[in-house]
Amino acid sequence: MEGSKKASKRNMILQAAAKVARVSGVERLTLDAVAQEAGVSKGGLLYHFPNKEELISGMVKQYSDDFVGSLRTRADKDPSEKGTWIKAYIETTYDSVQNENDMTIALSTALFTNPHLLREMQDEYRDLQKNIENDGLDPVVSSLFRLAADGLWFAEMFGFAPPDQALKQKVIRYILNEIEERK
């Protein structure tokens, strides 16, 4: 029970940090602002995250772990012999875009404050890319599909003329149909 309570408090603080960054901007992400948003004392926050860098690192790790965990679960559940990784990547990325998850906030915060905090996730993505390339489909095609999903995500993240909901769904459906046809 104690560990569960600690994890719950930690998650609450991470969600508060993402909210502060999303609503007020990365430049206003301070330990005081996060503690206030989370409804904890600054000492309580410091117990979990001794400094701002650890807080941002915790955000990146939490949301990256959630994304990669969801992707791996999808890939493991897919009975197909080909295309499981790229299909799981497309679906998980699309869900992330749809749900406006806080991974975008965490990554942006790390990028603009301490880019070295992204190294672990960059390593994870290298592994994902290897899985996608060795998924039984043409690695060029699988990589193009991955990059298309990333482009959709980045368009949403930065407001670079993201397609409307109907077009996003058509794009994802098109990619998933192409994957199925190539199996």
Side-chain angles (χ1 to χ4, degrees):
M1 183 81 160
E2 179 78 22
S4 169
K5 210 175 197 181
K6 185 177 176 182
S8 177
K9 180 77 71 172
R10 183 178 167 83
N11 288 337
M12 183 179 68
I13 292 168
L14 292 172
Q15 289 171 355
K19 183 175 181 183
V20 169
R22 182 176 51 255
V23 172
S24 302
V26 173
E27 66 280 355
R28 292 227 162 80
L29 180 69
T30 64
L31 296 178
D32 288 327
V34 173
Q36 183 177 357
E37 180 64 38
V40 300
S41 68
K42 188 169 180 184
L45 183 144
L46 291 172
Y47 173 77
H48 295 281
F49 303 100
N51 55 51
K52 185 176 173 179
E53 184 168 306
E54 289 294 321
L55 176 64
I56 295 169
S57 178
M59 289 170 60
V60 171
K61 177 140 183 53
Q62 174 71 41
Y63 299 120
S64 173
D65 287 353
D66 290 350
F67 178 84
V68 173
S70 178
L71 192 156
R72 288 185 187 283
T73 297
R74 278 188 164 114
D76 289 344
K77 286 183 179 179
D78 190 332
S80 304
E81 292 182 26
K82 294 181 178 181
T84 56
W85 283 97
I86 188 57
K87 183 178 176 192
Y89 187 88
I90 299 297
E91 291 171 344
T92 306
T93 301
Y94 180 69
D95 284 351
S96 293
V97 169
Q98 292 305 105
N99 297 323
E100 296 182 17
N101 73 7
D102 289 329
M103 188 162 123
T104 297
I105 298 298
L107 296 178
S108 297
T109 303
L111 180 64
F112 293 118
T113 59
N114 298 317
H116 72 276
L117 296 175
L118 297 176
R119 285 191 188 120
E120 187 176 325
M121 191 167 181
Q122 289 165 340
D123 292 342
E124 187 76 51
Y125 261 69
R126 273 189 280 286
D127 291 342
L128 290 173
Q129 178 62 27
K130 286 177 188 171
N131 289 339
I132 288 169
E133 289 174 11
N134 296 298
D135 204 14
L137 301 178
D138 180 341
V140 171
V141 173
S142 292
S143 294
L144 283 170
F145 291 157
R146 186 210 128 198
L147 294 171
D150 287 349
L152 179 63
W153 183 31
F154 296 147
E156 285 290 329
M157 182 188 310
F158 296 113
F160 293 155
D164 65 27
Q165 184 62 28
L167 184 54
K168 272 190 278 195
Q169 288 176 341
K170 288 178 183 175
V171 168
I172 295 301
R173 206 171 314 122
Y174 177 86
I175 293 171
L176 292 173
N177 287 338
E178 287 295 315
I179 292 168
E180 288 303 317
E181 287 181 19
R182 294 167 191 279
K183 286 184 176 183

